[in-house]
Amino acid sequence: MDVNSDAKVVDAAISNFVKESTEKIEKVETGQSVTYRVIGGDLRRMYDPYRVTFSFIPVEGKENEMCLAEWKAEFEPLTPETPPPLKAKDAALGFLKWFEKFELTC
């Protein structure tokens, strides 16, 4: 598996939606989740706040072998005309699917 080419596919999916983004990590729960807030760029010009949490929940009975990945976005459109960030959801799901290609160990 070529990790670099896989990363380029994820980067391309995201760059087709967001040309510029600056994030600030707000919270890290080691081995469980990471939360960041967009503080600049394209999404920040459409939503405030725009906060994302990636969570990894161990599967009961297979805690050292398998986990469920979850993506949650909290956002508030700056104007009533601003559409929901559906492409951001697609990009996040693509990012999570990218993890399926790796065998991770604790």
Side-chain angles (χ1 to χ4, degrees), residues 49-97:
Y50 189 90
R51 182 178 294 113
V52 172
T53 300
F54 285 102
S55 301
F56 303 92
I57 304 138
V59 173
E60 190 174 330
K62 296 184 176 187
E63 289 84 355
N64 294 325
E65 303 167 31
M66 190 178 291
C67 69
L68 298 174
E70 180 180 276
W71 171 81
K72 179 175 119 180
E74 302 168 65
F75 59 91
E76 187 69 37
L78 291 176
T79 69
E81 297 78 30
T82 303
L86 298 177
K87 289 185 180 182
K89 178 182 176 182
D90 292 342
L93 292 174
F95 177 72
L96 289 174
K97 286 182 180 189

